[in-house]
Structures are given as structure tokens and as C-alpha cells.
Amino acid sequence: DPDRKTEVVLLACGSFNPITNMHLRLFELARDYLHETGKYKVIKGIISPVGDAYKKKGLISANHRVTMAKLATKNSDWVEVDDWESCQSEWLETLKVLRYHHQKLLSADVNNSLQDAVPITKLGRKRKQEPNRHEPVKKKNQSPVVKSVPQVKLLCGSDILESFGIPNLWKLEDIAEIVEKHGLVCISRVGNNVQKFIYESDLLWRHKNNIHLVEEWITNDISSTKIRRALRRGQSIRYLVPDVVRAYIEKNQLYSPESEDRNAGVVLAPLQKHESDSKNSQALN
């Protein structure tokens, strides 16, 4: 029964500095995988570029990164860009971004059901006035299909999952809430040992049913770091990023040795924020 499938929104957070064909492929791989399980229906993909306050080395302005992501997804009928996270003046934990998008779906859901409810009450009044007018026959045991709010799952590569093990990068309670309440879809290289990483963490193992590991058989080793390196060296990045993105980078001369030195020597925002909490220095297991 298609109505029984759990609706899923895939959320990808990251620098997207710049967005590449690999980022876009992650969405396609994840959707194929979830649909093939027969349990899920992916209704939307969201790209949420990190804000400038993240302070990552070589991070160019959020405005450019959001614009490139929008250009890259212009022809997609299901992946879109959301700039809420990138507009925040402070760096936000990934969990807060997940919560924000979950809340947004909740409130949209309430509004929809209110709109749907209006005509039903009108019908009800009419029925009371004319009691013998063809009542709809109720089938036995027919329960109304209760639409649940879509799940927002974090879409990531294996590097993000493994970064859970880096001291002070993530708060333990955040990791717990992400895997427990939302879930992860993790795209990994064939032969990559993500399974071993999950096995070695009691916390991840406890919620392993909420961590979907998708094997990437058609490997794609493009990374934003390599793209920036090619650009600094005046080499072509054609067929690695969407053409519209390539044109935008050229027009705005975005990546250079100077831009790569931005934030050099600055401590990454999450590390600054979490290092003070000594209790977070416990290992993931």
C-alpha cells in the first residue's frame, strides 16, 4: 500500500564550497536506495550550505555558495536549496538545522490539515438537515489513512559519519538525537569500513537500524577540495561540476590562492564551541 510508506525528506548540510556533481549524486543514490527498500517515499531533498561563521579554511562567502547550489539544482524536480542556515550570524549545530526543518514540516502539516478540514464540516451540516440523503457506506474495518509527518534524515558521505569520532567536533547528545530521532543516510565507497566504525561505537550500534548505509558502486571521487585545487592551478573542472556552476565561478573569479588562505589558522567554530565542555571529551563509545 503506497499510503503506508514513510515519507522522507533528505537534508544535506555542508560547505558546498563549491557544490559538485558528487553532491548531487548523493541525493540520487539515497533516493534510489530508500525507494528500493519499499518502505520509504522520498518527497524532497534539501541542500543547506553552512554559514560563514563556520570559519573553515578556504570557505568563500555563503552568498556565492548558496547561489551556486541554486544554479546546480535549478533543473531538479525534487532537490532544492534552503538558505536559512547560511543566513544565521552564528554557526549552528547540524542537529538544530534538522530540528528546524522538522518543525517547518510540522507546521506545514498542521496548516494543510486545517485547510482540508474546512469543506468536511460544511458537508456535515448539510447531512444533518437531510437525514435520508445517501450516506456513504463505510467499509468494514476501514481505518482512515493517517499521514504522519515526513521524517527528515541527514544525508551524508562516510566522512561525516566517521567525523563523529573526532573529539569536540560533535556533542554526544547531538549525535544521539540525530540517529535516534531523525536517522542518517550515509553513502559510502564499496569496501569503506563504515560498518566497522558503527560496530565499534555502542551509541551508533544501538541505533544502527536508523543508519542506512548506501554502497556507491559507480564511484565518484570528486571533492570540493580537489575542485578548488584545480581552479587555483588554472586547470579545467568541466564535467566535475554543473556547467552553470563552472560559468559562475569563472565569471566571479571565485577560487584563488588568496581565497584558500581565508580563515587559515582560525579554529573551526564547533571546536571553539565544544572544547570548553570538558565532558564532551568522552569517546563515542
Side-chain angles (χ1 to χ4, degrees):
D1 180 0
D3 293 325
R4 291 275 168 250
K5 285 185 183 158
T6 305
E7 292 190 335
V8 170
V9 171
L10 293 168
L11 172 71
C13 297
S15 301
F16 300 100
N17 186 37
I19 191 166
T20 71
N21 288 345
M22 178 210 58
H23 292 127
L24 302 168
R25 278 296 295 160
L26 293 182
F27 281 95
E28 300 295 324
L29 288 161
R31 181 167 75 155
D32 282 348
Y33 170 88
L34 289 172
H35 286 178
E36 282 161 16
T37 65
K39 295 178 200 162
Y40 301 99
K41 179 175 192 274
V42 176
I43 57 166
K44 186 165 40 173
I46 300 171
I47 290 173
S48 179
V50 77
D52 293 333
Y54 186 51
K55 297 288 184 219
K56 193 176 182 180
K57 186 178 181 299
L59 191 66
I60 66 161
S61 86
N63 183 22
H64 282 312
R65 291 180 290 110
V66 167
T67 304
M68 288 188 285
K70 284 182 175 170
L71 288 168
T73 51
K74 213 158 97 182
N75 295 332
S76 174
D77 54 357
W78 68 285
V79 182
E80 59 187 52
V81 180
D82 190 287
D83 65 358
W84 177 78
E85 180 187 358
S86 69
C87 290
Q88 305 303 307
S89 55
E90 284 179 33
W91 167 76
L92 283 188
E93 288 92 341
T94 300
L95 176 58
K96 287 185 181 158
V97 186
L98 274 164
R99 280 184 191 153
Y100 165 81
H101 286 288
H102 179 70
Q103 266 316 118
K104 211 167 137 182
L105 287 163
L106 273 177
S107 45
D109 205 59
V110 168
N111 289 339
N112 288 345
S113 41
L114 284 174
Q115 284 165 3
D116 295 347
V118 175
I120 294 168
T121 50
K122 282 185 186 153
L123 279 173
R125 260 187 237 114
K126 197 161 186 170
R127 270 195 204 127
K128 278 188 194 111
Q129 290 159 7
E130 311 167 22
N132 302 328
R133 196 114 176 237
H134 35 261
E135 279 293 296
V137 181
K138 254 216 144 151
K139 287 201 188 87
K140 247 195 195 145
N141 304 331
Q142 189 189 23
S143 57
V145 176
V146 178
K147 276 269 194 221
S148 56
V149 177
Q151 293 180 358
V152 184
K153 294 192 180 296
L154 185 64
L155 171 63
C156 62
S158 52
D159 55 331
I160 304 244
L161 184 69
E162 287 173 358
S163 80
F164 284 174
I166 299 171
N168 298 321
L169 191 59
W170 297 81
K171 284 196 285 202
L172 269 179
E173 55 268 40
D174 281 16
I175 296 172
E177 191 173 325
I178 289 170
V179 290
E180 198 175 323
K181 299 228 165 76
H182 300 281
L184 281 176
V185 182
C186 175
I187 315 288
S188 75
R189 295 286 137 74
V190 181
N192 186 313
N193 248 336
V194 190
Q195 264 127 333
K196 182 172 184 283
F197 185 79
I198 293 170
Y199 161 75
E200 287 174 354
S201 158
D202 286 347
L203 171 59
L204 296 179
W205 184 261
R206 201 175 312 132
H207 301 290
K208 65 177 189 295
N209 293 338
N210 230 353
I211 302 174
H212 301 273
L213 295 183
V214 185
E215 296 224 310
E216 179 184 19
W217 293 99
I218 305 176
T219 53
N220 178 343
D221 209 20
I222 305 167
S223 73
S224 299
T225 307
K226 292 177 182 176
I227 297 291
R228 294 196 305 276
R229 184 178 294 138
L231 288 164
R232 287 200 304 277
R233 296 174 183 178
Q235 296 165 341
S236 163
I237 57 164
R238 193 164 196 182
Y239 312 118
L240 300 176
V241 303
D243 270 336
V244 277
V245 172
R246 185 176 59 103
Y248 183 87
I249 290 171
E250 276 176 22
K251 185 177 141 223
N252 296 280
Q253 301 177 318
L254 288 189
Y255 295 100
S256 64
E258 292 73 48
S259 72
E260 196 59 24
D261 282 337
R262 186 174 301 177
N263 296 326
V266 179
V267 179
L268 214 54
L271 295 176
Q272 277 181 35
K273 194 165 180 179
H274 302 148
E275 259 166 0
S276 49
D277 307 354
S278 56
K279 66 172 191 293
N280 286 329
S281 56
Q282 308 155 331
L284 191 54
N285 49 5

